Structure formats: C-alpha cells, structure tokens
Amino acid sequence: MAKVLVVTSGKGGVGKTTSTAALGAALAQAGQSVVVIDFDVGLRNLDLVMGAERRVVFDLINVVQGVAKLSQALIRDKRLENLWLIPASQTRDKDALTDEGVRRVINELRTKFDWILCDSPAGIERGATLAMRYADEAVIVTNPEVSSVRDSDRIIGMLDSKTAKAERGERVEKHLLVTRYDASRASRGEMLSIDDILEILATPLLGIIPESQDVLRASNVGCPVTLNNTNSAPSRAYMDAVRRLMGETVPMTVPVERKGLMNRLLRRRAA
Amino acid sequence: MMNLLRLMSGRSGSAPVARERLQILLAHERGVGGSGAPELLELLRSEILAVVSKHVDLDPEKVVVKLDRGKFVSMLEVDIEVPNAAQRSKLVAAT
C-alpha cells in the first residue's frame, strides 16, 4: 500500500529538499517506486537538486488546476527508472494550491507509487500545511541548533492537529531526522547532542546525517547525495534511514568520513 | 584531554545553555497551534501574577508557568521567584 510521507521542518535551510531527494533516491535504489513532489510554490528547488531543472514543462499547480494531466507533470529520473518528480510552479503564489486539488492528486498518486514524498516549504503557512495535509508519516528535519529545534516542536504540534489523519482521530507517524550533525562538537558540549534533541522533542529518531562536504558537492551537480557518492558518510546515513522507514531494525550510528591514508597522516601532523 | 584544554582556555560548552533555554521556552509555547488550549498558559500566568502581586512585589519575568504534556496526565508547574525583601513583607501580609 502506498505511503505518503511529508518532509518538513518549519525552519528554512535545514535540509528538507536535500533530504527529500536523498530519501527518495535511496528508496528507489532499494527497489521501491517513488514520486517526490515539490510543494514550495514560487521557490521551487527540488528539480534543481535532482538535476531535472531543464526538463520541467508542467507542474503541480497545473495538475491541481486541471490544466495538465498528472502524467504530463511527472518527470522520470534519468538515473533511476522508478524515481519520479513533480515540480512546483516557479511563477504562481502559494494560494494557487487548493486542499481539494492536493487531495485529488495525492489519491491518484497512491494508485501508482509505493512512496509519495512531499517536500514541504519552510514556514507554517498554506504551502506547508497542504504538504502535510494528507500525509501518513512525517520526517521532521532538525539541525542541532536552538531555532531549528523550536520550529520542529511547532511543526510536531501541527502534525498532531492540522492533518487529515489527526482530524480523523488517527496519528501521523513521526520520525526525526537530525541533519548537519557534528559528533565531535556535540561531544565537547558545543552543540546540542542527539540525546538533548530527543529529550526535548520526544519523537523517535529516524537517522543522524553528519555535516559533510559531500552534500554540497552532490547538489552542485544536481544529483541526490545517495546517488552521487554511495559510500559517503551522509549517503550511508540516508540509506540507513530508508531501511528504518521500510521497517528494518538498523543500529543507530553516526557514519564518519572514510579518510584516505594521506589525509589521516596530514591530520595527525596538524593536530 | 579536551576537558583540560577547555579548562585552560576558560571556555565551556554552550550546549547545556541551549538545552535549558529551549526546555523553558517550549514548555511555554506548547499548545500554541497545537491541540491544547492556545492561550491557557499565558492566561494562567497573568492571573497568578496578578493574585500574588497583591501581596508581594514580583519581577514578572521570574514567574514561570510550565505545562509538561504527558500521555495520560499533564503536570502544571508554577515557579515564582520571590525577592528576599519582598518575602518578608509577604510573611507580614500572611499573618
């Protein structure tokens, strides 16, 4: 049965789009059929991070408003044949999305895909509430930093009250994804630790994505990080997270960069 | 080793401060936009402040009203810091 997953955070710049692309690609790499939808109307970026920006013809708004058919707006990934993208509109504003239109699109996608990933815009306005509206599960992306944790708390409150599932008296299953984590700074008490964040937000942990240069490198070339360098630390962390999403029990670790011999020698000398 | 370095440089981690500030703030904010009564905490705080202020001089910032949401019961915690001089007048007022 299809699962609708919203990737949300409240705060901007914490890694929602990066995580949507990485989780979507990792699910597809695991053999699932996946569609990722950009809900950031007016400021679309998922197409760019996925490297499909030059192939956009129709978008989510066109489908919601009945101007285009769903099949016309679906863009197939060039690398993975079971990964698809529905881009957001770059020109309209967020009011162009309607609750009824989004419901219709999601219901149609449910019949075609295993996973429907909704990349939420930042904030708590219409775009963000509609992205989470029909979700079965939610990934809350949080940085180990006070403003991000505060906004995540707010979003968790909304997931528990403003979603269709919550209104039916059911629960949206929530998962916390901590990104840009620096284990050594956390161990020195310079950064909120995973335990701190979990205690404050009281939400089950899906994964810990370490701060890494590989993330920017992947977005520079328009490739989800899990596809760009399968062995990098963030890739392994996203892949572990996806195995947990699919119901596997995977021990929680913070993957570290695998340094070459030269790197290690240089580091030692510098320290 | 890191601890030693930190002691020598006179700096300590700021994460505990971040954690405490967040816990206090979120205890305040929870309910806003969530499922709880939105202004309940602020209402409780201002009414408690008004009642206690009749008898004691209080710094409004030192009145903390927290609601810890639990699965079955929630805990309402009221923390009022009373200055020492005022505390004496409170005792007088009480007798």
Side-chain angles (χ1 to χ4, degrees):
Chain A
M1 218 184 80
K3 271 191 184 161
V4 180
L5 183 86
V6 60
V7 180
T8 183
S9 70
K11 190 178 182 301
V14 297
K16 283 181 296 298
T17 300
T18 301
S19 296
T20 306
L23 294 171
L27 280 165
Q29 284 165 289
Q32 306 280 300
S33 70
V34 183
V35 59
V36 292
I37 313 175
D38 193 344
F39 272 81
D40 203 344
V41 177
L43 289 170
R44 74 166 174 231
N45 273 319
L46 188 56
D47 55 332
L48 194 55
V49 170
M50 307 259 307
E53 72 277 11
R54 305 207 318 186
R55 297 163 63 206
V56 175
V57 182
F58 294 107
D59 56 53
L60 179 63
I61 303 282
N62 297 143
V63 181
V64 162
Q65 295 186 336
V67 176
K69 279 186 286 187
L70 185 58
S71 57
Q72 293 176 296
L74 280 164
I75 303 171
R76 184 181 231 155
D77 188 85
K78 279 189 168 165
R79 297 145 297 212
L80 294 168
E81 63 165 17
N82 48 341
L83 176 62
W84 300 75
L85 161 74
I86 299 181
S89 161
Q90 184 70 330
T91 51
R92 311 296 185 84
D93 62 54
K94 57 187 186 299
D95 295 327
L97 281 179
T98 61
D99 190 322
E100 176 51 32
V102 170
R103 193 183 64 84
R104 193 169 41 81
V105 171
I106 299 241
N107 279 344
E108 198 176 339
L109 290 170
R110 275 182 193 273
T111 65
K112 295 180 163 68
F113 293 94
D114 299 324
W115 291 87
I116 299 149
L117 269 59
C118 305
D119 182 20
S120 173
I124 52 170
E125 289 172 38
R126 193 180 182 83
T129 51
L130 283 178
M132 68 168 67
R133 183 79 189 140
Y134 297 100
D136 303 312
E137 299 188 22
V139 170
I140 301 129
V141 182
T142 305
N143 287 169
E145 183 268 323
V146 287
S147 54
S148 174
V149 175
R150 178 199 210 175
D151 292 356
S152 294
D153 190 74
R154 188 80 187 275
I155 285 290
I156 288 169
M158 290 175 63
L159 287 164
D160 288 340
S161 62
K162 303 249 160 100
T163 51
K165 251 191 153 178
E167 285 173 5
R168 290 198 301 267
E170 298 168 41
R171 280 190 153 264
V172 172
E173 197 183 325
K174 288 162 293 183
H175 311 273
L176 196 67
L177 186 68
V178 178
T179 57
R180 309 201 69 164
Y181 190 69
D182 185 331
S184 64
R185 294 197 74 188
S187 74
R188 292 197 298 270
E190 297 171 8
M191 182 184 262
L192 286 169
S193 70
I194 295 295
D195 287 343
D196 291 339
I197 300 170
L198 291 181
E199 191 192 326
I200 292 167
L201 294 178
T203 299
L205 184 62
L206 179 68
I208 306 164
I209 315 299
E211 170 81 69
S212 165
Q213 299 184 352
D214 286 288
V215 173
L216 181 60
R217 205 173 290 142
S219 81
N220 283 344
V221 298
C223 184
V225 67
T226 48
L227 272 175
N228 195 45
N229 178 357
T230 319
N231 278 320
S232 68
S235 289
R236 282 178 288 138
Y238 277 118
M239 290 188 175
D240 281 356
V242 152
R243 286 166 63 197
R244 291 183 196 108
L245 274 181
M246 297 198 306
E248 269 184 66
T249 309
V250 183
M252 190 65 70
T253 56
V254 189
V256 288
E257 308 277 345
R258 285 177 184 149
K259 292 256 157 56
L261 183 64
M262 255 342 262
N263 251 328
R264 254 185 252 174
L265 284 172
L266 285 170
R267 239 177 104 86
R268 197 155 295 166
R269 196 170 298 163
Chain B
M1 186 60 199
M2 278 327 291
N3 283 332
L4 194 64
L5 275 175
R6 207 158 66 219
L7 276 177
M8 279 165 29
S9 67
R11 279 192 308 150
S12 68
S14 50
V17 182
R19 181 190 141 110
E20 205 181 315
R21 288 178 58 219
L22 269 172
Q23 279 170 330
I24 292 171
L25 177 76
L26 292 183
H28 239 272
E29 285 184 347
R30 281 183 180 156
V32 180
S35 49
E39 283 94 27
L40 177 66
L41 277 183
E42 204 34 57
L43 188 69
L44 282 173
R45 206 186 79 91
S46 65
E47 290 193 4
I48 289 167
L49 184 64
V51 169
V52 180
S53 297
K54 276 190 200 164
H55 307 289
V56 191
D57 266 338
L58 285 180
D59 178 353
E61 278 194 15
K62 300 287 168 64
V63 178
V64 179
V65 178
K66 277 204 264 185
L67 188 64
D68 281 325
R69 286 184 300 195
K71 209 169 188 176
F72 300 107
V73 278
S74 295
M75 172 85 84
L76 179 69
E77 190 182 331
V78 184
D79 195 345
I80 306 178
E81 194 179 308
V82 182
N84 275 336
Q87 198 165 26
R88 277 196 296 278
S89 71
K90 176 190 166 190
L91 286 174
V92 172
T95 49

